[in-house]
Amino acid sequence: MKKEMIDRTFKLFLIFLSFALLINIGTFVLYHEEPRRGIITFEMLKTHNFFQPTVLLEPYFRKPPFHNWILAISSEIFGSVSEFSLRFPSLISVILTSVFLFFFSSKLFERKVALFSAVIFPTFFMVLFGYSTKTEPDTLFTFLVSSSIISWYYFIDKGKERIAWFLGYFFTSLAALTKGFPAFHFFLIAIFVYFFLKKDLKGLLSFNHIVGFVLGIFPFVGWILTVPTEQALKTLFSEVISRAPTQFDLLETIKRFISFPFRFLFATFPWSVIVLFYLYKEKESYKKLVNDKTTLFLILTFIGNFLIYWFFPGSRMRYVMPLLPLLSILIAVYLKDKYFIHKRAKNILQFTLELIVPLGIVVGVIITGNSSLILKETIVFLIFAYLFYFYFLPRVNFTPIVILFALLMLLFRGFYSSYYLPIAESKYPPVREVAKEIADLTKEYPLFTKTKYLQLCFYVEKFKNSVLPYSSKPPKDSLFLSERPEGNVLKEFSLGKRKFYLCSFSIERIEGKTLEAESRKTKSQ
């Protein structure tokens, strides 16, 4: 592949990747841990306390604040703390990681490998469908950790030790500000592997290493110095401790140990399946990886870090995400000479497109019963698909098997964004509507919460445009949210199987109007 074609393919890939990820990015409500990130960001901007994260005004110690600084900047740029502003930084982190891989891989390998590694990383299943548009720190953490390892390796191998050590520790420092101590073992294992392969462990004690460490680690140390020592230590250690199970169950540990590699294969689909196929088909083909010093460094760094999470009882699959950029380079090197028949590749893409459009329409209408919604989302997807098929494909060479499967994953993500997200939102309990009603009812009153159901609490904060303090004993002259009837129940709300109550210990009416049978008095429990 010519340099011009490679560069053009990569630019077009990033454009359509962004397009596929941006479709309906703000449609689905914040879920799982996303509301927690939203609350922290909202309260940072309201209280202007950017060093100590809080959740419902209670100090939050499990993670340092760097990810929320990024979310706060995004929210300021887009004008509010919203689903879009909170998810957009994850998308940007994926794009930046891909660009970073393209830039450095082109210096370490041929340009074709750079392109392949840059399109493989964002199309891992765990990245593309799991975290690329999720309000979690994992994609940012992945970008920072992989940047520390790859930039350090490139410059140290070129003999530019000062810049290597500084960049390595600087990116590690920012990664530690994102998720704490785990950032360090990724980088430290990498540098140990490098000097082990060189048979020069004394190189770890060089003067440049010490200087790079002192200068590079400054952002992390600077943050520690801005908060009380005890709080900083709690923040650092709690994330590590929280990953360990509170009780040891031998059977569960064995099951997790056995299932972990299989879950990893699923998380790295489709590339894991493709690599296994070629390893089975060409049994000696892996030797070209172990015979090259750079790929051997990446393999051993990957294995060293992977084993930690495989053997650690409390590990979750997202913990190994920072290793995926390294893995994408290895897969790119391994598959760089694998090609597909051009006509067959085109037929596969065309068949896929012809299959998923009617599938989305039929299944969408059956599930939602809302044909107008599905028609609207079909139009959105067809715009994406039309540009993809008639503008993107004629300008790229999708004969390499890496490009073919990357394009297939891109097409599926566009389909997922267009159909799944709005369908899921239409079936989800109306948390936004309930939160807005609560905010409207309580706009003239101080409001507290006795529930830590963070999804509802985030949207109440958002629509009320003020922080929602948690209190087990809210003031008598205030309103408060509870998951059980207490005091004067002013209104009851249902979210799926959960019920919430707007209560007060003294207020019986809102705006001089008794709310429908909801002002019944109950005993405070």
Side-chain angles (χ1 to χ4, degrees), residues 195-470:
F195 285 104
F196 174 78
L197 291 175
K198 284 191 68 176
K199 299 179 180 179
D200 180 27
L201 293 179
K202 291 182 179 178
L204 291 168
L205 305 176
S206 70
F207 177 74
N208 286 326
H209 184 177
I210 297 171
V211 172
F213 172 79
V214 172
L215 296 178
I217 209 72
F218 180 76
F220 185 60
V221 174
W223 172 71
I224 292 176
L225 296 177
T226 62
V227 296
T229 303
E230 183 181 354
Q231 289 185 344
L233 291 175
K234 283 182 179 179
T235 305
L236 295 174
F237 284 109
S238 63
E239 176 65 10
V240 177
I241 295 171
S242 67
R243 297 185 179 200
T246 54
Q247 294 181 339
F248 180 77
D249 187 315
L250 179 61
L251 181 60
E252 284 299 316
T253 300
I254 294 172
K255 286 167 61 178
R256 191 211 59 81
F257 179 79
I258 295 173
S259 67
F260 194 81
F262 294 99
R263 289 189 289 125
F264 182 75
L265 292 177
F266 177 75
T268 53
F269 178 87
W271 307 110
S272 55
V273 175
I274 297 170
V275 168
L276 288 175
F277 170 77
Y278 279 106
L279 284 173
Y280 175 78
K281 185 179 178 181
E282 304 168 4
K283 293 182 173 55
E284 302 295 318
S285 56
Y286 69 90
K287 289 185 177 180
K288 64 182 179 182
L289 294 177
V290 297
N291 290 333
D292 178 83
K293 68 170 186 176
T294 300
T295 53
L296 182 59
F297 164 77
L298 294 174
I299 289 171
L300 294 179
T301 300
F302 174 87
I303 292 174
N305 282 288
F306 184 84
L307 290 176
I308 290 176
Y309 291 113
W310 188 4
F311 284 94
F312 191 73
S315 296
R316 298 179 182 178
M317 192 50 57
R318 70 173 184 269
Y319 297 166
V320 299
M321 192 184 295
L323 300 176
L324 296 190
L326 309 186
L327 183 61
S328 67
I329 297 175
L330 292 170
I331 294 174
V333 173
Y334 183 69
L335 297 178
K336 67 184 177 70
D337 297 320
K338 312 298 181 188
Y339 285 83
F340 215 77
I341 298 172
H342 186 83
K343 185 177 180 181
R344 187 177 297 174
K346 188 174 182 179
N347 289 339
I348 289 173
L349 287 167
Q350 184 176 349
F351 173 77
T352 302
L353 188 58
E354 292 172 349
L355 175 66
I356 61 178
V357 171
L359 181 66
I361 295 172
V362 173
V363 173
V365 171
I366 291 173
I367 292 175
T368 65
N370 188 341
S371 57
S372 60
L373 171 66
I374 301 305
L375 175 61
K376 173 188 167 187
E377 300 308 326
T378 299
I379 292 172
V380 171
F381 179 65
L382 286 177
I383 292 172
F384 170 80
Y386 181 87
L387 293 172
F388 178 87
Y389 196 79
F390 293 102
Y391 179 79
F392 184 17
L393 291 187
R395 289 167 173 78
V396 303
N397 179 359
F398 52 90
T399 302
I401 197 165
V402 167
I403 299 299
L404 171 61
F405 278 91
L407 296 183
L408 281 170
M409 293 298 285
L410 204 58
L411 198 57
F412 284 126
R413 174 63 209 214
F415 177 82
Y416 171 88
S417 299
S418 299
Y419 287 101
Y420 174 79
L421 295 177
I423 290 173
E425 172 61 22
S426 72
K427 306 301 288 185
Y428 204 80
V431 63
R432 287 190 185 102
E433 291 80 357
V434 168
K436 191 173 189 314
E437 184 179 358
I438 292 171
D440 290 340
L441 288 171
T442 62
K443 60 184 176 182
E444 303 297 334
Y445 299 86
L447 179 65
F448 291 80
T449 181
K450 292 184 73 173
T451 174
K452 291 188 177 182
Y453 188 67
L454 298 184
Q455 188 181 55
L456 179 62
C457 292
F458 166 75
Y459 282 104
V460 170
E461 282 194 334
K462 174 180 169 60
F463 290 121
K464 195 173 172 64
N465 197 29
S466 63
V467 296
L468 179 64
Y470 173 82

Side-chain angles (χ1 to χ4, degrees), residues 17-18 21-22 25 87-96 131-134 139:
L17 173 65
S18 302
L21 297 178
L22 284 170
I25 188 175
R87 288 170 175 155
F88 188 71
S90 290
L91 185 158
I92 294 299
S93 296
V94 171
I95 299 296
L96 287 176
Y131 291 90
S132 58
T133 52
K134 197 171 184 179
T139 55

